[in-house]
Amino acid sequence: MGERKIDVLVVRWYERAGRDDIAARWLDAAREHLPEAMPRRFGDTEPLRGRLDRDGEEGFLRAYDSADSLLFISGKGPVHHASLSATRPGYFGPTVAHSLHAELPATDPRVHRFARALLHPSTIYVSASIEGGEILDGDTLYGPPERPGEPFLAPVGDWLGLPPRPPIWCWFGPAYQRLVRRQVTGEKVADGLFWSGGPWVREPLHARLSEPDPNHRAALRTPRGLRRSTLQIIMAGLHR
């Protein structure tokens, strides 16, 4: 099968670092809600050398435990790619992100059920956006997209804030409840708020992504404990 351009649904889960059960949670959620997201192949470098049919779920869990920063997953179409943050506290900041890349509509109920199944009290924010014009060559997905989706909001593990432009849908975790409850409306889901349209959050909550100085890109208001101070970043670099 030759290469073709596709539009890709990207779902990202941002959560506080420190939990190491995302691989097990992923297996449970995929098995129940989105079997195509099961890790057919997996690894922390290309080519992905782990195989579920050979190594089993225990092999997948071991691969996650031994990964340095990210464990990559190749599922079964229409789930073409996923990644799980394996970053442990230390050099990186206190926020981690996991992602799903699928050739599915954002309204697909299987995606919604899968996204919700991965939620827990440490989840900060979950969003869905479309990246247009990526290349699918066989079962391998290549970027960058011609039309980017929502920008990444936690570079090096430091949370910047909410996107200036709204996603297709999102879920605000408990840490954001107090900050957004008077600005947006939605459905209460798993101790958070599911938003799928209407007014977006106000500018003080927006990540300032166009700021030339990386130290000034964080939103004016964010929940506490999701990013490091400048001193902490310097000290982490010295002890790397």
Side-chain angles (χ1 to χ4, degrees), residues 96-180:
V96 297
H98 319 298
S99 69
L100 172 81
H101 299 245
E103 197 176 359
L104 288 169
T107 54
D108 191 305
R110 296 174 299 165
V111 174
H112 283 246
R113 290 193 294 266
F114 180 75
R116 295 181 183 196
L118 287 177
L119 299 177
H120 61 77
S122 293
T123 310
I124 302 159
Y125 172 73
V126 182
S127 68
S129 65
I130 297 293
E131 294 189 342
E134 292 201 31
I135 301 295
L136 182 66
D137 186 0
D139 61 356
T140 303
L141 190 64
Y142 294 99
E146 294 177 343
R147 300 178 301 282
E150 181 179 272
F152 189 65
L153 298 171
V156 205
D158 291 304
W159 177 247
L160 296 181
L162 298 172
R165 299 185 59 164
I168 299 172
W169 55 258
C170 73
W171 179 85
F172 301 103
Y176 262 106
Q177 284 276 48
R178 181 179 60 83
L179 297 178
V180 306

Side-chain angles (χ1 to χ4, degrees):
M1 187 174 180
E3 65 178 44
R4 59 189 177 96
K5 286 187 179 181
I6 63 171
D7 291 346
V8 177
L9 172 68
V10 179
V11 181
R12 284 198 183 97
W13 295 257
Y14 294 92
E15 54 189 55
R16 295 179 186 271
R19 293 184 63 112
D20 58 1
D21 62 348
I22 181 60
R25 285 190 283 134
W26 188 277
L27 289 173
D28 290 342
R31 191 163 33 239
E32 184 171 355
H33 302 292
L34 191 60
E36 296 91 341
M38 289 294 283
R40 186 172 56 88
R41 294 187 297 117
F42 51 88
D44 56 359
T45 58
E46 290 283 357
L48 306 182
R49 301 187 184 280
R51 286 174 40 186
L52 191 66
D53 61 356
R54 182 192 63 208
D55 305 321
E57 294 185 5
E58 287 302 317
F60 174 68
L61 297 175
R62 287 194 300 271
Y64 176 76
D65 287 340
S66 63
D68 266 344
S69 57
L70 288 172
L71 182 69
F72 301 107
I73 294 171
S74 177
K76 180 180 179 181
V79 176
H80 301 303
H81 175 77
S83 64
L84 306 181
S85 174
T87 301
R88 311 295 188 257
Y91 174 70
F92 294 97
T95 303
V96 297
H98 319 298
S99 69
L100 172 81
H101 299 245
E103 197 176 359
L104 288 169
T107 54
D108 191 305
R110 296 174 299 165
V111 174
H112 283 246
R113 290 193 294 266
F114 180 75
R116 295 181 183 196
L118 287 177
L119 299 177
H120 61 77
S122 293
T123 310
I124 302 159
Y125 172 73
V126 182
S127 68
S129 65
I130 297 293
E131 294 189 342
E134 292 201 31
I135 301 295
L136 182 66
D137 186 0
D139 61 356
T140 303
L141 190 64
Y142 294 99
E146 294 177 343
R147 300 178 301 282
E150 181 179 272
F152 189 65
L153 298 171
V156 205
D158 291 304
W159 177 247
L160 296 181
L162 298 172
R165 299 185 59 164
I168 299 172
W169 55 258
C170 73
W171 179 85
F172 301 103
Y176 262 106
Q177 284 276 48
R178 181 179 60 83
L179 297 178
V180 306
R181 64 188 176 186
R182 295 183 179 178
Q183 302 181 30
V184 299
T185 58
E187 174 191 0
K188 288 190 176 296
V189 173
D191 296 324
L193 185 69
F194 177 78
W195 178 93
S196 59
W200 185 233
V201 298
R202 296 173 191 153
E203 190 171 343
L205 298 179
H206 295 176
R208 295 177 290 178
L209 302 172
S210 61
E211 280 286 341
D213 185 347
N215 293 320
H216 295 157
R217 289 178 187 162
L220 295 176
R221 297 189 68 195
T222 64
R224 292 182 178 180
L226 301 182
R227 60 181 289 106
R228 297 167 295 174
S229 68
T230 301
L231 178 60
Q232 288 173 318
I233 293 172
I234 292 172
M235 295 302 293
L238 292 176
H239 291 91
R240 188 179 179 184

